[in-house]
Each structure stands twice: as structure tokens, then as C-alpha cells.
Amino acid sequence: MSVLKNVRGLAEWVPAELAAAAPVITVVGDVILDGWWSGSIERFCREAPAPVVDLQRRDYAPGGAANTAMNLAALGARVRLVGLVGMDDAGSRLRALLDDAGVDTTGLLSTAAIQTTTKNRIIGADQVMLRIDDQAGIPSDECIAELAAAVPDAVAGSAAVVVCDYGTGALGPAVMRALTAYAGSTLVVVDAHDPRPWSELEPAIVTPNAQETARLLGATFPAGTSGREELVTERRGELFEATRAAAVVVTLDRDGTVLLSKEGQAHRTWARPASEKQASGAGDTFVACLTAARAAGMPMTTSLDLAQAAADVVVGRPGTSVCSTADLTEYLGGLSSAILPLDELLRRVAGEREQGRRIVLTNGCFDVLHRGHTRYLTQAKQLGDVLVVALNGDDSVRRLKGPDRPINPLADRAGVIAALSCVDYVTAFDTDTPVPLIEALRPDIYAKGGDYSSQMLAEAPVVERCGGTVRILDYVPERSTTAVVEKIRTLPVESTANSTAHSTVESVVDSAVGSPAAPPSAPTGVQ
């Protein structure tokens, strides 16, 4: 059995491992009841030039911190929720939905002093026409004190705590003091409109979105989406100083996420293109999956890639929804059979070009994936908008590398590459060079690793003749498939067997940075 033979089961193994860990996770935050009221539009009202929506159904879902709790429960975590609701119909409905999902609502306190925050979207003809927000108001000191008093019992024995602060005023200094006792011994993740007040906790992870990051930096991002990644990377020192977090993950909606380290950019994920259907709460899903994976002991970059996949799942659904382990299995399984024939690839790339996107092509054997590969593919993605990876077919690999290669057949290699969020499309070719593919695809940029030069490439003049540019990327020394294979072959048989599962997940999904240790109270089954 080859080292990565189990990659075919990666889509099932990782979500199953996540659910099997079943970590206890406490969510402390602002809870919301989301309403999705839909109907038809056939006329305008007489009083104003406004459409009349004839309501046909009313759907409700937990939102805000309650949505984070729902996603955690769907991923197999044992969830406790601490928050405030009013003694009203909305509060009762919200509690019932959470109870049905298996969330422990002992810490969800009902009080007559506030009303439950609701956000009702009015949808007509598949279009959100209006959102009606009914805010809870600022809780009294007594309510906040009661909320803080519920924190110790809820957090006791938890592998992780997620703080969801949307600025309602409920999570004041009293709640902060209650959580401070657990800082350093429990994985703390802060998802807040303003993470600065939570810096006293020295959280393990903060997850500001683009707007929140801009406010925190006192900056204005460039128009559109370009330049945001560079700006947050350049000013990462300010983010770490303001949040005092061990890791900062900036979520960039359609552009995925950026994991920052104090030395620079540590990892990128990319959102896969999807047609949004009035989706809401994808950020809650991302935070939930990231926390669940870290609480289960998974490496940081593995956790980020899983969280991005979970967010991709819910963005393609209408309303406020959750991503379960079954959803992750199905989604990742779909990626593992992603070798596109040339005609289908050309059709999809034509659609990307119509949207003004720049096409990047790279190719290689990618036999046993390692850090050099993933760093290289991340850099290639950053050269344009859409990354196409062309894999040498098995016969082509044998001609290039010798009769004992490839270690892994084409289907397995494609499944691994397709699982990386930086890769948009995977195809294959059996010729000794990708020249015929380049002539058909006509990429805007052709990328190769730093162990080549443009003068060495037979493809270079073809790329330029087709109107493209050749880019040579960084070379990561002492990282090669040959070295990995040689190391495996020289290990004792027992050591090789014991390291197989670790190599599969660590090499396939984890990439640019090392694997931070699991939090002290988290299970350590996956490293």
C-alpha cells in the first residue's frame, strides 16, 4: 500500500475523526433569531412605488452566537451556550430550535428586561427585499451579572470557548472577568466586531472579517477585493499588538482567509466559487468548524482548510444553515474526483474569463505532497484569480522519474491536489511536456518552481506566443518527493506503518506552517 493510499478515504476520515472527538465547547455570546419570510411579488402597493410580497412561508433559524452553537453541534461537538433572550415568543422559538439540535441551553438565560433580538428577511422572487431588525436593547447591569455568573459552570471541563461578541453590550467587563480565569488553560477563540476589548484573554485565535480588520487598523481597504491580503500582512504587527492573540485569521469573504503569524503570512485559503442564495452566517460556520477541529487536536492549517470547506458548503444554500460532518464528507468527496477532461476544462475556463478572471496554469507530478509543493501552489494562486493544476499521467511520470514512480496513481494524486483550497481546477496530460495543453488553454500566466529557469523550459516560447507570461516561483530547499520517498523507504517497517496516517493528513491538508500543539485540554488523536 502506498503512503497516501488512504487519501481516497480522506473525505470520510477527517470529518469522522472530528465527530468522534466530540469535544465539549462552550459558546458565550449574542444570540439572534433569524427569520426568512418568503413569498411572491405580483403587484405594487397603491401608497408608494413598493412591491407587495404575499407571504407564503416563514422559516426561522438560530443566528449569531446561536448559529455558531448549531454548527458546532452539527459537527459532533457537545455544545453549551451562554447568552440572553427575552421572555417572548422569539426567545421560546430560539430555545426550542437549539434544544432540538442537542445544544445545552442551561446557560441561555431568559429575562423580562430585554426582548430577543430578531432579524427577519423579506424575500420576494428569490430576492431579499428588506430586513427588519428588532434589537434587544442594552441589558441592565443585573442581566449582565447573571450572564457572567453562568459562565463558570458552562466553561468547566470545556476543550474550547468561543466568544461571539456582536456589540449588543451583553458581553461586558463582568463576562470578561469570568472568562479570564480560563485563559491559558482552554482554547479561546474570539469572533468579535471589535476584538480589542478581549485582548486581556490573550486568545488563541481571533477571526476578524475584512471590515472589522479595517476598523481595527484605522485603514481603508483598496476598492474591490485586491490589495486586502497585502495590507493585513504588512500591518500584522498592529493586529497582534491590538488583540494579543496567538494567531490572527482575517476572513476575506469571497477571497477566503489569511492566517497571519508574527513573522508574516502563514497560510491562505480560498473560497470556491458559488452562487450565493441569500446565504447568511457563513462566518459563524467558519469559526465553528475551525474551533471544533482545533479542539479535536487537528493542526492549525488542517483546521483552516476544513473551516473554509464548511463555509463553502453553507454559502451555496439559502438562509441561515449549518454544515454537518455528513456535509463535509460529501463536499470533500466531490473534490476527490475532480480530474476534468480538456473539453470541460476549456468550457469552465471560458466562463472564468468572461468574468474577467486571470488564469494561472502550473503542472507537475505532485506524487507525494510536501510543504514545498503547497507553498509553491499557494504562490501560484496569488499570481492570478484561477489556478489550474495539470498532473502528469502515470505513464508520463514513469518516463520522467523511472519505473518505480509514481508512488501514487493519478486518481489519488488528483484527489490530494483538488482538496487544497488554492486549487480551482485539476486536469491531466500524458505527453512529456504540457505544450499541447498550453496551446489549448492559453493561460495568462504559466508558473513553475524555482528549480527551473525560463530558459530551461520548452514551454516558455509557447506560453509567450499564446500571449501569456512565464513566472518562476520560490524554491523551497530540502523539500522534494524523492527525499520524502527515500526517508520512508529507510524507516523500519513498524515506524513507517505508524506514521502513515499522520503523513496522510499532515502532508495533504496542512501546508505552509508547522502544526501547533493541541490545546492542553483537547484530545490529541490527530496531530
Side-chain angles (χ1 to χ4, degrees):
M1 178 179 289
S2 64
V3 173
L4 294 182
K5 190 68 175 179
N6 287 331
V7 166
R8 290 182 184 273
L10 182 66
E12 296 180 1
W13 188 86
V14 172
E17 185 75 9
L18 193 62
V24 176
I25 299 176
T26 299
V27 180
V28 180
D30 297 318
V31 298
I32 300 167
L33 179 65
D34 281 349
W36 297 86
W37 300 359
S38 57
S40 59
I41 299 176
E42 297 180 353
R43 67 191 191 280
F44 284 80
C45 67
R46 296 179 180 179
E47 299 84 4
V52 174
V53 179
D54 290 318
L55 290 178
Q56 295 164 347
R57 60 181 296 168
R58 292 176 173 87
D59 297 312
Y60 295 93
N67 185 34
T68 302
M70 291 285 286
N71 275 276
L72 284 165
L75 291 167
R78 291 170 287 167
V79 189
R80 303 165 181 170
L81 178 61
V82 178
L84 290 174
V85 293
M87 291 182 176
D88 48 27
D89 289 343
S92 299
R93 189 187 300 274
L94 180 56
R95 186 184 296 275
L97 290 168
L98 290 162
D99 288 339
D100 287 346
V103 175
D104 182 345
T105 58
T106 304
L108 185 62
L109 307 179
S110 299
T111 173
I114 66 168
Q115 62 187 36
T116 305
T117 298
T118 60
K119 296 183 178 181
N120 293 317
R121 286 91 169 166
I122 311 300
I123 303 169
D126 293 327
Q127 176 67 45
V128 176
M129 310 299 296
L130 180 69
R131 194 180 86 181
I132 304 171
D133 290 3
D134 201 355
Q135 303 288 357
I138 299 176
S140 65
D141 292 342
E142 291 77 10
C143 287
I144 295 173
E146 188 178 358
L147 185 68
V151 168
D153 286 343
V155 177
S158 295
V161 177
V162 186
V163 177
C164 301
D165 182 6
Y166 303 124
T168 67
L171 304 184
V175 175
M176 173 82 70
R177 287 192 296 270
L179 287 170
T180 301
Y182 302 94
S185 61
T186 301
L187 176 74
V188 176
V189 179
V190 171
D191 180 26
H193 284 349
D194 184 358
R196 286 171 294 188
W198 299 97
S199 61
E200 292 182 27
L201 295 180
E202 297 186 358
I205 307 170
V206 294
T207 59
N209 62 28
Q211 291 181 338
E212 292 159 356
T213 302
R215 286 197 301 268
L216 194 154
L217 294 173
T220 301
F221 282 144
T225 60
S226 63
R228 298 186 298 177
E229 173 194 346
E230 292 80 3
L231 190 150
V232 299
T233 302
E234 289 172 3
R235 299 182 62 177
R236 63 190 180 277
E238 298 172 58
L239 295 174
F240 280 101
E241 182 179 359
T243 64
R244 297 170 64 188
V248 177
V249 179
V250 180
T251 58
L252 301 172
D253 43 79
R254 294 175 182 269
D255 288 334
T257 70
V258 180
L259 168 64
L260 300 174
S261 70
K262 294 181 180 179
E263 292 73 33
Q265 184 185 129
H267 189 57
R268 268 297 309 266
T269 70
W270 279 267
R272 294 187 182 271
S275 176
E276 293 191 19
K277 302 177 180 179
Q278 303 95 37
S280 177
D284 301 328
T285 301
F286 178 88
V287 170
C289 189
L290 173 61
T291 304
R294 289 297 288 145
M298 293 185 183
M300 184 65 170
T301 52
T302 304
S303 303
L304 282 167
D305 286 335
L306 283 176
Q308 182 65 69
D312 290 345
V313 168
V314 299
V315 163
R317 294 173 174 170
T320 307
S321 62
V322 301
C323 177
S324 66
T325 51
D327 294 328
L328 269 180
T329 298
E330 181 179 358
Y331 180 81
L332 294 173
L335 297 179
S336 68
S337 57
I339 301 177
L340 294 179
L342 181 58
D343 56 349
E344 176 62 16
L345 175 65
L346 295 178
R347 186 187 69 79
R348 296 197 189 186
V349 166
E352 301 283 4
R353 283 201 166 102
E354 289 177 2
Q355 301 297 318
R357 300 186 178 109
R358 289 164 56 81
I359 310 301
V360 182
L361 171 67
T362 192
N363 66 279
C365 301
F366 296 102
D367 193 359
V368 177
L369 205 68
H370 54 73
R371 181 180 175 186
H373 287 142
T374 53
R375 177 175 172 179
Y376 159 70
L377 290 171
T378 296
Q379 290 182 345
K381 171 73 172 186
Q382 292 170 323
L383 296 175
D385 304 301
V386 176
L387 177 59
V388 179
V389 178
L391 298 176
N392 292 72
D394 292 345
D395 289 340
S396 176
V397 175
R398 277 188 281 272
R399 291 195 298 270
L400 289 170
K401 303 291 185 179
D404 60 343
R405 299 282 296 277
I407 300 296
N408 295 287
L410 178 61
D412 284 359
R413 290 184 284 128
V416 173
I417 292 296
L420 300 175
S421 67
C422 60
V423 176
D424 296 289
Y425 301 114
V426 177
T427 192
F429 65 98
D430 284 311
T431 53
D432 290 336
T433 73
V435 166
L437 175 61
I438 291 170
E439 291 175 331
L441 189 64
R442 304 179 71 87
D444 298 289
I445 298 166
Y446 178 65
K448 289 296 287 184
D451 47 346
Y452 292 89
S453 68
S454 58
Q455 292 78 17
M456 296 168 57
L457 296 173
E459 302 94 309
V462 180
V463 173
E464 293 167 358
R465 189 170 67 246
C466 293
T469 303
V470 176
R471 294 289 299 273
I472 305 299
L473 302 180
D474 291 347
Y475 175 67
V476 180
E478 300 178 359
R479 295 289 189 276
S480 72
T481 295
T482 300
V484 172
V485 172
E486 184 61 27
K487 181 178 180 180
I488 292 169
R489 285 174 172 166
T490 56
L491 285 174
V493 173
E494 182 179 355
S495 297
T496 304
N498 289 341
S499 65
T500 297
H502 172 79
S503 298
T504 300
V505 176
E506 192 74 9
S507 298
V508 172
V509 190
D510 223 22
S511 57
V513 299
S515 302
S521 57
T524 55
V526 182
Q527 288 292 320

